[in-house]
Amino acid sequence: REVRATGLVLDGGRTIRGSAEQFTITVVPGRPVRLLMRTGGQPSYPWHDKLTGPVRVEVATAAGRAEATLPPATGPLVEVAFDLPAPTTSKVTVQVTASAPYRVFHYFALQSDGS
């Protein structure tokens, strides 16, 4: 739960304790993808690992990969962008690997409308 200038934000998160997660997104082939990861939050929640520092993350698809460093969890939610090359298919498997446990509240897959 966070109150921003634009209003109240509620999101359910999870701590990824392993070094990887995988999911599939549906996109328009031939257009680059910006994957936003909502992360941050409190350093500690009940039944979750305490996050104490930045975490290096790589996002990979068949078309390519992108890397970023997630900031330490200090309270606010943060969106981190990964710009991925244009895929050739509409179903894209996304593989996320990290150097340590990290927290994810939500992923957003964005593409331009082509204009």
Side-chain angles (χ1 to χ4, degrees):
R1 174 185 174 116
E2 179 177 306
V3 178
R4 295 181 173 183
T6 56
L8 179 64
V9 175
L10 296 172
D11 211 339
R14 62 205 178 277
T15 301
I16 307 302
R17 291 177 175 92
S19 63
E21 63 179 325
Q22 181 176 303
F23 52 91
T24 302
I25 58 175
T26 302
V27 298
V28 177
R31 294 184 188 165
V33 176
R34 173 170 277 189
L35 188 70
L36 290 180
M37 175 196 286
R38 181 175 287 161
T39 186
Q42 298 301 319
S44 183
Y45 291 102
W47 304 287
H48 286 259
D49 297 6
K50 183 175 183 177
L51 304 182
T52 59
V55 177
R56 191 77 183 146
V57 174
E58 178 183 278
V59 173
T61 67
R65 64 182 192 84
E67 295 182 6
T69 299
L70 306 183
T74 59
L77 298 174
V78 177
E79 281 83 31
V80 177
F82 297 87
D83 290 318
L84 299 165
T88 58
T89 62
S90 63
K91 298 288 184 189
V92 175
T93 299
V94 178
Q95 180 75 34
V96 182
T97 56
S99 61
Y102 59 101
R103 190 163 298 122
V104 175
F105 288 89
H106 205 89
Y107 285 102
F108 303 90
L110 309 172
Q111 290 184 288
S112 71
D113 63 5
S115 57

